[in-house]
Amino acid sequence: MRLDGKRVLVCNCEGTMPLDGKALAKACGATEGSEAATQLCRAELGRFQAALKAGEPLTVACTQESALFDEQREELRSDTPVSYVNIRETAGWSSEAADAMPKMAALIAAAAVPTPALPTVTMKSEGVALIYGRDEVAIAAARQLSSRLDVTIMLDRPKDVAAQPQMDLPIVQGHIAGARGHLGAFELVVDNYALPLPSSRQSLKFGAPRNGASSTCDIIIDLTGGTPLFPAHEKRDGYFRPDPKDPAAVQRALFEASDLTGSFEKPIYVAYHAEICTHSRSKKTGCTRCLDVCPTGAITPSGDHVTIDPYICGGCGNCGAVCPTGAAEYRLPPPATLAEQLRALLLAYREAGGRQAVVLVHDAKHGAPLIDALARHGDGLPARVLPFAVNALGECNVAFFASAFSYGAADLRLLTPGKRNDDAAGIGQQMALAESVQVGLGYEGGRVGLIETDDPEQLGAALAALPRREGPSGASYLPMGRNRDLARLAFRHLHSVAPQPVDAIALPPGAPFGNLQIDAENCTLCLACVSACPTGALSDDPERPRLSFTEDACVQCGLCKNTCPEKVIALEPRINFTSESARQRQVKEEEPFHCIRCAKPFGTKSSIEKVIAKLEGKHWMYGKGGDIADRMRMCADCRIIVQSENKIDPYAGAPRPDVRTTDDYLAERAAAELKASGKKPS
């Protein structure tokens, strides 16, 4: 069949799943349909070859034999782009397969959405490896790798390590006190560093140790069993930390490390837009959301903004999920593409007659094997459960959840490991935010949640126990913009079809939407908040002393609150559905003070008069009605002019008394004595 300019090949896998090719094409809204293949990867491989020669972009509804199809593509030297989608384990192999036609149509439609290519960075490794351990396990590992890598052994506080009859591998003593870097560029600070004594007889002895030694390497294999050298160490490329008491885990690490020589491309997972970052302004800290949830330490403060190191970034997506402005934008795929895939999935499911859709969000590493096992050894996924694969669960945020419900999902579940990890650091907050909005609009609660399990049977039971209910009336709008724009579009649709629409809903602290409560009476209109606001939510008027606020633009970063010298600003997290939220709201306006010399407006009348009232009569420079006090009533230009005209030192005080000498005192005493004697001066 042909769908959106692509040719789609489907197969019923030797009749193991009920699949009518023409009915599926109709359900997909394809322009033409054909019978499904029975054995596309063997007896009917010619159909794939013919589709390649036709040159149209091709989607094959089979992932098991993707390697075989790619080989055929190479043999034919075809440039035809080929993508794959799994409809067997996710739909056809199920106890409800007979009702899974809408789901198959949905999965094929979602797979047809193109994903933009990612930029990459290059990491280069020359195979210089450090085996860091405490006993003979490290030495044995080093000997195993020595034929593939340039190996050095570092023993941390070794005890009774047998002396080597031949020192064919470098062995040193040391404790890694600090480590940074990544594959191909590790930098270490080593304490207790010492070389072995050649006279070691039974066990290794070392010379005098020293602290603060430095070293570099490309690969680290940590067999100490102690504290990891890096946060979220499993995401640090080039760093391996197997349990030294688990031989199988050690062998897996050695096998992976042995191939790490050469150049390696790593995706740049996050695009950073510093111009809309709300981290800091003028050394006042505002938003720290991305810094708080980054498990690897790839994000660090850098003045008013942050820096994201693509070499250390593990691609968990947490930063993009919690960023209120989209300054940190996850790109695998971009938010708009992810929302477009959701739209295609749910729109095709609805148009094919599907109801009560449950979106099951999962990743490839943990979720896909569980779904596969459930299909092969259990009842498979229910027909109304639509699996949705993402690169990292951490990228799912309130915009993602709101988009799923706005396109008609009844429920949404995230499939996570039974033992939570740092990948889902921000998910709980984002789910709570989505739940607050839905419940506030009158929808039944509990529509978004987690399924935390490593057991396919528990997964099947959890899905079977989900309530059967209808989702909101689905929208069909095109997703555009960054996360904040997507969330606003989705929330407005949910509000328009809500059971109990309200004008505003209070949100939990930390939500990226909200109002500002400003004490206008005590605001001096210094406008420091305007200069600090990174989104333009607070604005002034170049013609008059005026402060305005636009609620839709506020991300609740807190920079205005932290910058305000009078401390008259408070944050109010909420989402406002009224049209007023998109308009500028005047907070305060005052009459400008006019310069008494040139009549130019400057400052505010109340502020200037308040300052003058405080200074007059209380400071010797500002006598009541004095020239210096008048300068406070002048604009900056006129103050300079008056200063140059009068040539008055603004810092001059009262005249200093004449200097008196001993002669002056003697003369005064002589005059006093003469006067007292009644004699006339001669």
Side-chain angles (χ1 to χ4, degrees), residues 144-173:
Q144 188 173 337
L145 283 179
S146 59
S147 62
R148 300 289 302 271
L149 302 175
D150 181 3
V151 177
T152 297
I153 305 164
M154 181 181 292
L155 299 178
D156 182 15
R157 298 182 290 273
K159 290 183 179 180
D160 299 326
V161 176
Q164 303 298 301
Q166 186 176 7
M167 296 296 286
D168 53 344
L169 292 175
I171 301 177
V172 299
Q173 172 185 279

Side-chain angles (χ1 to χ4, degrees), residues 626-643:
D627 292 339
I628 296 180
D630 282 344
R631 285 180 218 169
M632 294 291 295
R633 300 179 175 90
M634 298 180 189
C635 65
D637 294 336
C638 289
R639 291 175 197 169
I640 296 173
I641 294 172
V642 170
Q643 178 77 13

Side-chain angles (χ1 to χ4, degrees), residues 198-210:
S199 59
S200 300
R201 186 175 180 179
Q202 293 181 338
S203 60
L204 283 175
K205 305 296 181 184
F206 295 87
R210 65 185 178 90

Side-chain angles (χ1 to χ4, degrees), residues 456-499:
E457 291 185 1
Q458 291 181 2
L459 170 62
L463 293 173
L466 289 176
R468 288 187 170 272
R469 52 189 170 189
E470 297 296 335
S473 178
S476 60
Y477 64 84
L478 289 173
M480 294 179 290
R482 297 194 172 106
N483 278 325
R484 186 174 180 81
D485 305 311
L486 297 172
R488 186 181 293 113
L489 285 171
F491 282 146
R492 292 198 187 284
H493 172 75
L494 291 175
H495 178 265
S496 68
V497 297

Side-chain angles (χ1 to χ4, degrees), residues 212-254:
S214 60
S215 179
T216 61
C217 60
D218 299 321
I219 304 163
I220 301 175
I221 301 174
D222 185 351
L223 299 175
T224 62
T227 303
L229 299 179
F230 302 97
H233 60 88
E234 67 280 356
K235 296 181 179 297
R236 186 68 57 125
D237 295 309
Y239 177 70
F240 300 89
R241 186 181 169 271
D243 182 352
K245 296 180 181 179
D246 184 350
V250 172
Q251 289 303 310
R252 285 194 298 269
L254 297 182

Side-chain angles (χ1 to χ4, degrees), residues 179-199:
R180 65 179 184 177
H182 50 84
L183 174 65
F186 286 110
E187 298 178 6
L188 309 175
V189 176
V190 182
D191 288 343
N192 199 35
Y193 176 78
L195 297 174
L197 295 175
S199 59

Side-chain angles (χ1 to χ4, degrees), residues 373-392:
L374 183 62
R376 292 175 181 274
H377 307 291
D379 290 336
L381 294 179
R384 68 192 185 101
V385 175
L386 309 180
F388 189 84
V390 294
N391 183 64

Side-chain angles (χ1 to χ4, degrees), residues 277-287 303-305 559:
C277 178
T278 62
H279 171 58
S280 174
R281 292 293 185 275
S282 304
K283 299 184 179 180
K284 297 288 187 181
T285 301
C287 177
D304 284 346
H305 307 111
L559 277 171

